[in-house]
Amino acid sequence: MPDSLPVEKAYRILESGPVLLVSTRAADGSANVMTLGFHMMILHDPPLVGVVLGPWDHSHRALSETGECVLAVPTVDLAEKVVDIGNCSGSTLDKFAHFGLTPLPAEMVQAPLVGECWANLECRVADEDWVRRYDLWVLQVQRIWIDTSREETRLIHHQGDGRFSVDGDTLDLGERMVKWRDLMD
């Protein structure tokens, strides 16, 4: 008989997307960055991403005020910094300055890109219907930036309780995806 895991640990099995940093800029101009582990792709076209960000997060206010953020994708070399960012609040600390992160201007939103990250996705809130009930924001990606000069591109994935996995080899089975080929072009 297999071992059992408490149902509240379901995220340890299902959350496979990379850990993200969420950058926001509040209406007063202050920028913040937070760590985010709970997110999902919702649609391919338009590109919609669901993120769980609640009132317990300092960034919630800025996202509520502006409807904009940047989803920054850190690589494994930033793993310890990403965890440390998640263990403090932007209400008491300028995280960009404290953690030595470079806020770069975005093109479509006011929230800054995170210069040290491999990818940055500029997003706007597309749907707030689930925010009050589930703290689930539906974001539409407006622009994507990739740092092609980065040598380190392995992503980190939260498995819960401080455990992470790191990207390794890629298994490309794209030629077998015949049913979905038209959707992915």
Side-chain angles (χ1 to χ4, degrees):
M1 182 67 132
D3 286 340
S4 155
L5 192 66
V7 296
E8 61 273 8
K9 300 290 186 178
Y11 66 92
R12 290 180 66 179
I13 306 300
L14 300 176
E15 183 59 47
S16 62
V19 173
L20 302 176
L21 293 175
V22 178
S23 166
T24 54
R25 185 174 306 282
D28 68 7
S30 62
N32 188 46
V33 63
M34 64 170 277
T35 302
L36 179 74
F38 295 107
H39 57 84
M40 64 182 163
M41 283 302 306
I42 295 174
L43 277 178
H44 164 70
D45 188 22
L48 297 179
V49 180
V51 300
V52 174
L53 197 149
W56 55 85
D57 295 308
H58 179 67
S59 297
H60 183 271
R61 178 179 54 86
L63 187 58
S64 297
E65 290 173 352
T66 66
E68 300 179 340
C69 67
V70 169
L71 302 179
V73 185
T75 49
V76 67
D77 55 318
L78 297 172
E80 290 181 3
K81 192 175 285 196
V82 166
V83 171
D84 292 346
I85 289 168
N87 282 319
C88 60
S89 174
S91 65
T92 59
L93 184 67
D94 176 345
K95 292 191 202 181
F96 274 96
H98 183 79
F99 292 105
L101 297 175
T102 308
L104 298 174
E107 186 175 290
M108 307 289 289
V109 301
Q110 294 301 308
L113 308 176
V114 180
E116 289 70 23
C117 286
W118 169 70
N120 283 270
L121 293 76
E122 298 182 40
C123 299
R124 288 200 178 103
V125 174
D127 189 332
E128 294 183 52
D129 289 348
W130 292 349
V131 173
R132 192 170 41 249
R133 190 167 184 183
Y134 301 109
D135 300 308
L136 178 65
W137 298 81
V138 178
L139 307 174
Q140 184 168 349
V141 178
Q142 305 292 310
R143 177 131 169 104
I144 301 174
W145 302 93
I146 302 288
D147 184 351
T148 57
S149 68
R150 280 190 64 85
E151 290 184 29
E152 180 60 79
T153 59
R154 293 176 298 154
L155 308 180
I156 55 175
H157 305 267
H158 189 229
Q159 294 180 336
D161 303 326
R163 295 181 321 146
F164 297 83
S165 60
V166 178
D167 282 347
D169 295 331
T170 300
L171 179 61
D172 186 351
L173 298 176
E175 76 279 355
R176 299 183 64 86
M177 301 291 288
V178 295
K179 181 175 180 181
W180 306 105
R181 186 159 295 151
D182 293 338
L183 292 175
M184 297 300 155
D185 290 334

